[in-house]
Amino acid sequence: MTQQRYRDLAEWPLMGTAVVFLAAYAWQVVGKVEGRGNEWLEATLWITWGIFALDYAVNLWLADNRRRWFLLNLHELLIVALPVFRPLRLLRLVTLLSVLHRTVGDSLRGRVATYVAGSAALLVFVGALAVLDAEQSAPDAKILTFGDAVWWAVTTITTVGYGDLYPVTGLGRAVAAALMMSGIAVLGVVTASIASWLVQRVSETAETAVETAEQPVLAEVNDLTAEVAALRREIAQLRSERAS
């Protein structure tokens, strides 16, 4: 079993685990579940954490150069090691974006549409959950409902920031900073993809125009080449007749 083979096999199960984690976390935060129901949800969250921790351990074990893989994937260790801060558990959902990246295909316009729709929707939803979890129990909190949290996430990720809703806790502000940087990154991906698509289209148009312009010239060159060949044959025939 190689690391790449394992990653290919584990990709979709890990995505399913991330979806289960997101559903349980959302239910726990939005539903404000207490008592035995909350215990079941918390157990589900810890089980998913165990799966991600096991995945990290297996990847490290199967790596050709474990030291190098460890150093290059410190962010994965960070994602696994942050269950203490509840909103930061959502970093595990990077798995969803990595699977999305591998499955969107090679079409540039398809990549743009998928990244914009998928990444933006996931970031807004995750950001809303994270800030609501951090803020809803804080004194003087402004964000108390999921609707307010979604509105805040939309205005934050688009860098509009009306200021009607804002986090008051340190963890909530950390979520806001991460969401703003994520919004800039998503816009950067969109801008770069559109620019690349435009360059590709201009290049294809220029190549087509050059080929179209060259066709008459090539036809004339071929005709002239045929005429020169015919003249050479006639000259050779006349020389042979004189010699005889």
Side-chain angles (χ1 to χ4, degrees), residues 38-115:
N38 184 62
E39 292 177 2
W40 280 104
L41 291 174
E42 193 67 24
T44 301
L45 295 177
W46 280 104
I47 290 171
T48 59
W49 175 83
I51 293 173
F52 282 110
L54 179 61
D55 172 69
Y56 177 84
V58 172
N59 272 292
L60 181 60
W61 177 261
L62 293 176
D64 295 331
N65 187 330
R66 293 173 188 168
R67 178 183 176 83
R68 183 172 181 273
W69 188 89
F70 174 79
L71 294 175
L72 292 177
N73 293 273
L74 288 174
H75 63 284
E76 293 196 17
L77 177 61
L78 184 66
I79 291 170
V80 172
L82 283 175
V84 177
F85 303 101
R86 281 168 48 92
L88 297 183
R89 297 176 184 181
L90 291 165
L91 288 172
R92 298 171 196 159
L93 296 175
V94 171
T95 305
L96 291 174
L97 292 180
S98 64
V99 174
L100 183 66
H101 171 73
R102 295 187 184 98
T103 55
V104 291
D106 296 326
S107 171
L108 184 59
R109 280 171 288 184
R111 287 203 303 269
V112 172
T114 306
Y115 269 120

Side-chain angles (χ1 to χ4, degrees), residues 132-146:
L132 181 62
D133 191 16
E135 295 287 310
Q136 61 184 349
S137 300
D140 302 323
K142 307 295 182 183
I143 303 172
L144 300 174
T145 66
F146 185 66

